[in-house]
Structure formats: structure tokens, C-alpha cells
Amino acid sequence: MYASCLCGQVKLVIKTAFISSSICHCQQCQKSHGAASAAYGVALKSEVEWLSGKKRVRKFASSERVRRGFCKDCGTNIYFYHKDHPNHLDIPLAILDTKPNLTPQCHIFVDSKVGWDPILDDLPQHAQSC
Ligand SMILES: [Zn+2]
Ligand SMILES: [Zn+2]
């Protein structure tokens, strides 16, 4: 699967299928994405290949164990990384240029879901993480 940022300078390929996929409703994803929620695919870090622009990716420590990578020029969120899962890189599905092999399987952190964007699917909902 191919992914890129809004300005097109950061490009990457995820060489193998996502392990899992979820929609996160935590407040940090809300603020970081400027959206009610953010859908991610969990990739093996070793299977993510940077095609261009890796040096344009800045890291933000949104909490002690979390790093969020974003394009320094256009602000697009490129990845979510948690130190508890050092082999994983969570890629926002919305930056993919090709179809994901998986669509989201569940909602997480629905405890902090916004009130103005109801969940209209039948996927399992978890108060915190899965
Ligand atoms: Zn960019
Ligand atoms: Zn989140």
C-alpha cells in the first residue's frame, strides 16, 4: 500500500498487510488530526519503506510513550508510534493512496468520543484501547 502527505513530499510504501485496524476517538487524535476520530492501520515498522521525504517528518511526543510523525511542510499526520509496541507503526488510513487491505475492525477510546459525530456502524466499541 502506498501513502503520501498533503504536499506530496513524504511518500512511503507499506510492503505487507496491516495487522489490524481501528478508529481512535481519543482527544489527542482529535486534536492532532483536527477530526472527530482517526482510522489507523497497524503496520510492522520493518515493512514500512520511506520512498521520499523521511527527513521532512517531525516527531511530536504527545505523551511520554507516544510519538506522532508529521510532515513539517504540510502538517499531515504520517504515523503514530507507541513505545510499548516498538515493532509497530500505525499509519492513518486517510493518507493511503491505494486501498487498505483491512478496513477498521473496532472503535477505541470511545470514552472521549465527541457528541456531534455519532457512530453509525456495528463495529465493537472499546472504552479505552482494545
Ligand atoms: Zn507534506
Ligand atoms: Zn488516539
Side-chain angles (χ1 to χ4, degrees):
M1 295 166 284
Y2 288 86
S4 61
C5 66
L6 179 58
C7 76
Q9 297 183 97
V10 179
K11 287 187 166 65
L12 52 128
V13 58
I14 300 112
K15 294 188 284 182
T16 52
F18 286 132
I19 299 161
S20 62
S21 176
S22 63
I23 299 172
C24 187
H25 297 265
C26 84
Q27 200 181 31
Q28 293 178 345
C29 283
Q30 289 166 3
K31 289 190 182 292
S32 144
H33 290 260
S37 60
Y40 293 95
V42 177
L44 273 177
K45 197 165 177 257
S46 56
E47 297 297 317
V48 175
E49 185 184 324
W50 298 89
L51 300 175
S52 69
K54 188 180 182 184
K55 286 183 178 161
R56 296 183 182 275
V57 177
R58 291 286 176 271
K59 288 179 205 168
F60 174 65
S62 58
S63 65
E64 195 194 324
R65 302 191 65 72
V66 171
R67 299 292 178 270
R68 292 170 185 270
F70 62 95
C71 172
K72 74 179 175 73
D73 291 313
C74 69
T76 299
N77 287 283
I78 307 291
Y79 66 78
F80 171 97
Y81 173 78
H82 199 296
K83 288 183 175 177
D84 289 351
H85 303 283
N87 300 327
H88 290 171
L89 220 47
D90 297 4
I91 307 294
L93 295 186
I95 69 163
L96 291 176
D97 298 311
T98 53
K99 271 191 184 175
N101 68 286
L102 276 181
T103 52
Q105 301 157 316
C106 62
H107 294 269
I108 59 174
F109 291 95
V110 294
D111 268 5
S112 40
K113 199 183 91 51
V114 297
W116 45 264
D117 190 29
I119 292 173
L120 300 174
D121 59 49
D122 298 321
L123 297 172
Q125 297 181 19
H126 303 279
Q128 303 273 301
S129 60
C130 287

